[in-house]
Amino acid sequence: PRWMVWARVTPHVAISRLRLDCNDARDPGCERKHTDVGPGLGAGIGAALRVVGHVALGIEANLDHEWLDQRDDPFEAVRTWQLGLLAMFSF
């Protein structure tokens, strides 16, 4: 087949070294070494097209959501969206 399509779900543990509620690290109470740890869940889809024999080019998009600090408040979370271009080689 010339096309390959996939989906993925990625549960993970998120670790952040940033203070999300601080505008300036020099503010009192904004320690730079603060670490947040919490659960995360990601989901993504991708597609690739085989262009010649053993080479395929594709794209993948992924959305991650991490619950950090105060897990009961959805606004105390980190959301990231990633878009990647892929080059795959088979041997």
Side-chain angles (χ1 to χ4, degrees):
R2 293 184 55 86
W3 282 96
M4 181 171 68
V5 178
W6 62 91
R8 64 183 180 130
V9 175
T10 55
H12 57 274
V13 174
I15 300 172
S16 174
R17 300 279 297 168
L18 299 174
R19 286 294 300 259
L20 299 176
D21 56 348
C22 292
N23 291 328
D24 189 353
R26 295 177 299 224
D27 287 344
C30 289
E31 185 179 335
R32 296 181 66 89
K33 294 183 179 182
H34 178 79
T35 300
D36 284 333
V37 177
L41 183 63
I45 57 172
L49 172 67
R50 185 174 44 158
V51 290
V52 293
H54 297 285
V55 178
L57 299 175
I59 191 167
E60 182 178 76
N62 189 44
L63 179 66
D64 285 334
H65 183 94
E66 288 86 18
W67 291 271
L68 299 171
D69 205 23
Q70 299 173 8
R71 297 179 191 158
D72 295 334
D73 183 0
F75 297 105
E76 291 292 334
V78 175
R79 289 172 204 90
T80 57
W81 181 66
Q82 300 141 12
L83 183 64
L85 300 176
L86 305 170
M88 294 179 269
F89 306 95
S90 63
F91 301 99

